[in-house]
Amino acid sequence: MKWEEARELFPNQLLLVSILNYHYEGNKKIVDEVAPIRAIKEEEANKAFFNAEEGTMVYHTGNTDFVIHIRKDPFMKVRRRY
């Protein structure tokens, strides 16, 4: 289903979803279609987020768009001065 439909079915909730379709816009992955798995209670959010399997994600339906920001170089390069 489209992200908009998931937002209507699960208003203002954290939702564990399987990501079905997405596209890229620059350094952003825009999720277009999802398969809702279950609503997540706020106190379980961190655990669910970090235990999400590949292709799934916890996201809040209060967000109009489902956007994942992509980091090209996630590690900071440290310059040492001697």
Side-chain angles (χ1 to χ4, degrees):
M1 78 177 43
K2 299 285 184 191
W3 175 240
E4 296 82 17
E5 295 171 292
R7 292 182 67 232
E8 290 174 12
L9 288 173
F10 301 92
N12 203 33
Q13 295 181 52
L14 288 163
L15 192 60
L16 176 63
V17 298
S18 178
I19 298 172
L20 302 177
N21 192 16
Y22 59 88
H23 67 278
Y24 288 99
E25 291 181 10
N27 64 342
K28 298 175 186 173
K29 182 188 277 190
I30 311 297
V31 177
D32 301 309
E33 292 188 51
V34 298
I37 298 171
R38 66 184 173 98
I40 303 292
K41 294 178 183 176
E42 283 195 38
E43 57 270 13
E44 298 174 8
N46 282 337
K47 183 177 180 181
F49 180 82
F50 288 108
N51 289 327
E53 296 189 16
E54 187 174 341
T56 65
M57 188 165 186
V58 175
Y59 209 74
H60 198 280
T61 58
N63 293 302
T64 306
D65 298 312
F66 195 141
V67 179
I68 302 169
H69 295 270
I70 306 299
R71 293 183 64 175
K72 301 286 183 189
D73 185 12
F75 300 104
M76 293 176 50
K77 295 179 182 177
V78 179
R79 292 184 181 180
R80 295 179 188 243
R81 295 181 187 174
Y82 296 98

